[in-house]
Amino acid sequence: MAEINGVDEDMIQEIRNSVKDTADRGLIAASKWSADLLISIPASKRNAASNPKSAVSDTASMSLTDITDPLGGVFGPNLAIEDEMEAERFDADALMFSQRCMSMKEYNRAAYHTQGCRSSKAFFVNVYSRFLVSEKRALLEWHNEDNTRMQPLQPVNKEISDLLAELENTRKNDPFLQFLKALFCARMSRVEDARKILCESLSKYPWNWSAWTLLGTCVDSTTLLHEIISSIKLPPKHPLPRMFQIKLLNELQSAADADISLCDHLLSENWFPNSLWVMSHRARALYGLTYFQRAEEQFETLLKLDPDRIDDVDIYSNILYALQQEKKLTLLAERFMKKDKNRPEVCCIVGNHYSLRCEHDKAVKYFRRATQLDRTCFHAWTLLGHEYLEMTNAPAAIESYRVALAINTKDYRPWFGLGQAYTQLGLPTYALYYYQKASYLRPSEYVLWDGLGECYEQILGYKDAIECYHNAAALQAGSKKYSQRIALHVRISTCYKHLQNLKEAAHQHYLIVKMCDNEVPATEDSSILQQYTRSMLEVGEFQATVRDGENNHCGNLKQAHDYLTWVLTTSPLLKSEDKTKIHGLLNEIAGTMAPKGIVFNDKYPDSGHGYDTSYRKGPLFLYKIAGRGS
């Protein structure tokens, strides 16, 4: 297969055909997606490719494989296409009426009027219409069980197995019917079968975005994603596998800087420079990487190009929420409430607006409304759970998170929310499981390792807690969130104390001292100053009292003397009992060193002391606070 290096006339015609192919079969979302992609191509290119090269039916673009004659001969693909075209001409009037019925959501009528039709397209419309009817019926039955213990998390469609049986041995080469078969397999939890069928379907007809979307629900890891992409037989550098990759990595929260570069490549002049879909996923990738400012700028650009686009605008509101942009979020909510107040995305914007203002009751109202407008709105269920947590209503939060996970298990946020909810209920063993799931999905998130460490600490698993806290500390290394970093070292030290490892416990406090000395700017933050003092005391006490097996001092007594003296003479936060302890330790140090003829002071010692003095490097935090030089 020839390598593709940009959009050409053939690709434009394929996209054009896909708009009609998918719309004719009732795949409205896929048709809209193709049309959106089509208009993102510069008009000069589209106009140059405005005349199809031939008058073949849209079915011809499916590239149907050869089929076998009952007598043993083989018909070529042209004959297969001609037979399908003849069948479509025979079914044309019934198909046209059924398609109009589908556009009006009269699915029973669409199914009825395609009975007895011969074409693959009519058969698709018939089966798909009956599937949509059965879905509505299952939803009504599900709502009949509202507020009862018998209600499952998701509606159960009992008719799917019968519909699948109709497709098993029928028109195996039709890529759209293969998509439908994969849809039923996926709904019956036959995920591996669904993946295999979808790869075959997309190799024949790649421009059915509904098939790509369904395939995405069957992929739960980046490893599997790359395997799937390599198994789909498309020319090298085809844009669709790349778009699928961007979409899935965003869903898996695994997007990297390379994927943002891939978005930039797809937005170049050779491809789809005006694609709002690619811009949106670029912004989502930036959001996932916590580049909030750049993500905000991308969404602002997107809304300038299409002010009425509502898709993904709820993600934009999440970004504004993270940036604490209350004024912008309020204006965004007012703007889109005027456009369409009955879209779940708009309800999420308003919910975020009230949440940022700490009006949690109103936020719950709008997130709940979003779930009523679209039961499958995963983000709304998650945000609803967050609000219930803020209101310390853990049982309601758990219910919301569980519904979110019934829709999508690939996002770490509902798992994390469940961990927080069970922690709030004082059930660390339950919370542990959910934190583990969340940290597996999002290993780069500091708060997940922190929460996991807390759970292990509560159930006395101190070694595991230390490992989790170390992971969290590694993720926070170099950040300016000094309070968080200090708190992690304190927790690690506490765990080491429980394990009777006093040396490592003191080392964690030493790391706090050096962080404050070398990184923390001069500040009046009393909590940081108080912990700095406490850590210096911990290190000084350890070095002053640690002994070897023969009960001899083996600590750095010079360091102990310096730290204890500095705290005693410069810190205004010392309690009287601390001062008493320090004086006692200093007297003990002086008594130990007196027989050796050594008297410590605050000047640099000569080499005769024999102690490492590297701890003195860098300015002293306490001195900076006191306005002195070191």
Side-chain angles (χ1 to χ4, degrees):
M1 290 181 282
E3 185 175 290
I4 298 176
N5 293 310
V7 175
D8 56 17
E9 291 186 13
D10 290 337
M11 183 178 291
I12 292 171
Q13 194 56 47
E14 287 174 9
I15 299 173
R16 248 192 216 114
N17 288 340
S18 72
V19 177
K20 185 176 187 303
D21 292 345
T22 50
D24 285 350
R25 292 166 175 83
L27 302 175
I28 306 303
S31 182
K32 176 191 171 186
W33 187 88
S34 293
D36 191 15
L37 191 66
L38 181 64
I39 63 169
S40 71
I41 302 169
S44 56
K45 280 190 177 182
R46 284 186 278 119
N47 294 335
S50 59
N51 296 317
K53 292 184 177 181
S54 61
V56 285
S57 165
D58 60 312
T59 311
S61 65
M62 295 181 190
S63 302
L64 295 175
T65 56
D66 293 355
I67 57 174
T68 304
D69 179 294
L71 299 177
V74 176
F75 296 109
N78 289 337
L79 185 54
I81 293 172
E82 288 175 7
D83 288 346
E84 181 61 27
M85 291 169 60
E86 179 61 31
E88 283 190 26
R89 280 193 287 268
F90 181 81
D91 299 338
D93 295 337
L95 256 176
M96 183 171 59
F97 178 72
S98 297
Q99 288 161 355
R100 300 294 81 74
C101 288
M102 289 190 79
S103 66
M104 298 298 292
K105 298 186 178 181
E106 296 179 346
Y107 301 119
N108 275 317
R109 298 186 74 193
Y112 178 79
H113 286 280
T114 49
Q115 291 179 1
C117 290
R118 303 185 318 194
S119 64
S120 295
K121 186 185 290 187
F123 184 61
F124 181 98
V125 169
N126 179 272
V127 177
Y128 189 53
S129 296
R130 285 188 287 142
F131 165 70
L132 295 175
V133 170
S134 67
E135 286 285 278
K136 185 176 181 180
R137 189 180 299 121
L139 183 61
L140 290 173
E141 292 174 356
W142 183 72
H143 279 302
N144 289 337
E145 303 290 341
D146 281 351
N147 302 318
T148 67
R149 292 183 177 182
M150 303 300 294
Q151 187 183 42
L153 287 176
Q154 292 290 307
V156 178
N157 189 340
K158 300 176 182 178
E159 300 176 42
I160 288 180
S161 57
D162 295 332
L163 294 171
L164 178 59
E166 292 186 40
L167 292 170
E168 286 292 353
N169 297 308
T170 306
R171 299 174 174 89
K172 292 184 177 181
N173 290 327
D174 187 288
F176 284 99
L177 291 176
Q178 285 180 319
F179 156 71
L180 207 53
K181 182 179 177 181
L183 173 62
F184 297 156
C185 287
R187 290 294 301 277
M188 295 174 69
S189 299
R190 292 168 51 184
V191 178
E192 190 172 345
D193 290 339
R195 283 199 297 261
K196 181 179 177 182
I197 297 168
L198 284 168
C199 288
E200 293 178 9
S201 174
L202 289 168
S203 296
K204 297 173 186 174
Y205 190 88
W207 294 102
N208 177 10
W209 187 248
S210 290
W212 289 103
T213 302
L214 177 60
L215 183 59
T217 65
C218 302
V219 179
D220 58 4
S221 70
T222 54
T223 303
L224 183 57
L225 168 63
H226 295 304
E227 290 178 5
I228 291 292
I229 290 176
S230 62
S231 66
I232 299 174
K233 299 174 183 177
L234 289 175
K237 296 186 180 181
H238 196 286
L240 285 173
R242 296 178 171 196
M243 292 178 173
F244 176 67
Q245 176 180 324
I246 294 166
K247 178 181 183 295
L248 256 292
L249 289 175
N250 275 333
E251 291 180 7
L252 294 168
Q253 291 89 46
S254 300
D257 290 331
D259 301 297
I260 295 171
S261 299
L262 181 55
C263 290
D264 293 335
H265 176 72
L266 289 170
L267 288 169
S268 64
E269 286 298 320
N270 287 340
W271 293 99
F272 310 100
N274 301 315
S275 174
L276 302 180
W277 186 90
V278 177
M279 290 181 193
S280 175
H281 276 271
R282 184 180 185 275
R284 293 180 68 164
L286 290 167
Y287 171 54
L289 290 167
T290 66
Y291 300 149
F292 296 135
Q293 198 68 47
R294 292 170 61 190
E296 180 191 6
E297 292 170 1
Q298 180 66 79
F299 266 115
E300 287 175 353
T301 301
L302 192 153
L303 289 176
K304 284 178 184 176
L305 293 172
D306 189 346
D308 297 315
R309 189 180 191 271
I310 297 179
D311 296 344
D312 296 322
V313 77
D314 53 328
I315 306 298
Y316 181 33
S317 74
N318 291 346
I319 295 167
L320 295 178
Y321 184 96
L323 291 170
Q324 299 290 294
Q325 296 270 17
E326 184 176 347
K327 185 176 180 180
K328 279 190 176 182
L329 187 52
T330 301
L331 292 173
L332 187 73
E334 290 177 352
R335 172 181 170 184
F336 280 93
M337 279 291 281
K338 293 176 182 177
K339 294 182 184 297
D340 191 347
K341 65 181 180 180
N342 292 320
R343 281 284 292 269
E345 295 93 335
V346 176
C347 291
C348 287
I349 299 172
V350 180
N352 275 332
H353 158 72
Y354 282 119
S355 179
L356 189 56
R357 296 176 59 180
C358 296
E359 297 181 42
H360 300 299
D361 289 332
K362 292 181 180 179
V364 164
K365 173 185 173 183
Y366 278 94
F367 290 136
R368 176 66 69 182
R369 176 163 173 74
T371 65
Q372 292 167 346
L373 291 168
D374 181 2
R375 178 187 53 80
T376 64
C377 187
F378 159 77
H379 293 294
W381 285 109
T382 304
L383 293 171
L384 182 61
H386 292 345
E387 290 308 304
Y388 280 132
L389 271 186
E390 291 288 338
M391 299 166 71
T392 64
N393 187 348
I398 289 169
E399 181 184 356
S400 299
Y401 289 134
R402 288 194 182 281
V403 177
L405 288 175
I407 300 167
N408 181 5
T409 60
K410 292 182 288 191
D411 196 297
Y412 77 95
R413 286 166 291 191
W415 295 106
F416 176 54
L418 282 168
Q420 288 182 303
Y422 281 112
T423 299
Q424 199 176 90
L425 290 172
L427 298 169
T429 51
Y430 283 74
L432 184 64
Y433 169 76
Y434 295 107
Y435 279 130
Q436 286 173 331
K437 294 288 288 187
S439 60
Y440 172 76
L441 291 170
R442 181 81 165 185
S444 61
E445 198 71 32
Y446 146 77
V447 292
L448 303 183
W449 292 108
D450 189 30
L452 194 56
E454 285 187 31
C455 288
Y456 277 122
E457 194 173 352
Q458 289 177 34
I459 63 174
L460 310 183
Y462 297 117
K463 288 184 179 179
D464 291 323
I466 288 170
E467 184 178 350
C468 293
Y469 288 141
H470 275 305
N471 287 340
L475 292 169
Q476 289 292 90
S479 79
K480 295 183 179 180
K481 297 177 180 178
Y482 302 114
S483 296
Q484 290 180 357
R485 293 169 63 188
I486 288 170
L488 282 171
H489 287 299
V490 171
R491 289 172 186 165
I492 295 171
S493 176
T494 302
C495 291
Y496 275 123
K497 284 182 180 179
H498 283 295
L499 295 172
Q500 302 300 313
N501 190 339
L502 300 182
K503 182 178 180 181
E504 282 298 328
H507 179 67
Q508 294 302 316
H509 284 286
Y510 177 69
L511 292 176
I512 293 173
V513 172
K514 297 318 290 180
M515 183 197 306
C516 292
D517 283 348
N518 299 317
E519 296 183 47
V520 180
T523 177
E524 299 299 331
D525 188 336
S526 61
S527 64
I528 293 180
L529 181 57
Q530 189 171 10
Q531 184 55 57
Y532 177 84
T533 303
R534 176 56 52 192
S535 294
M536 201 170 261
L537 276 173
E538 291 274 353
V539 176
E541 183 178 0
F542 171 77
Q543 296 292 359
T545 58
V546 64
R547 297 175 182 272
D548 59 19
E550 298 178 359
N551 204 32
N552 297 318
H553 282 287
C554 60
N556 188 334
L557 294 181
K558 174 59 180 172
Q559 182 180 13
H561 176 272
D562 283 353
Y563 275 13
L564 294 173
T565 303
W566 293 340
V567 170
L568 186 63
T569 58
T570 60
S571 176
L573 303 176
L574 279 180
K575 298 177 182 178
S576 58
E577 57 266 30
D578 289 328
K579 291 180 180 180
T580 303
K581 180 193 289 187
I582 291 173
H583 282 300
L585 291 170
L586 287 173
N587 289 335
E588 185 179 342
I589 292 170
T592 302
M593 302 307 293
K596 301 179 183 180
I598 298 174
V599 178
F600 287 140
N601 53 46
D602 195 33
K603 296 180 179 179
Y604 281 88
D606 58 36
S607 58
H609 291 156
Y611 292 112
D612 177 22
T613 58
S614 60
Y615 61 88
R616 297 183 65 113
K617 294 179 181 177
L620 286 173
F621 186 66
L622 278 171
Y623 275 51
K624 287 189 289 185
I625 295 301
R628 308 179 188 180
S630 60

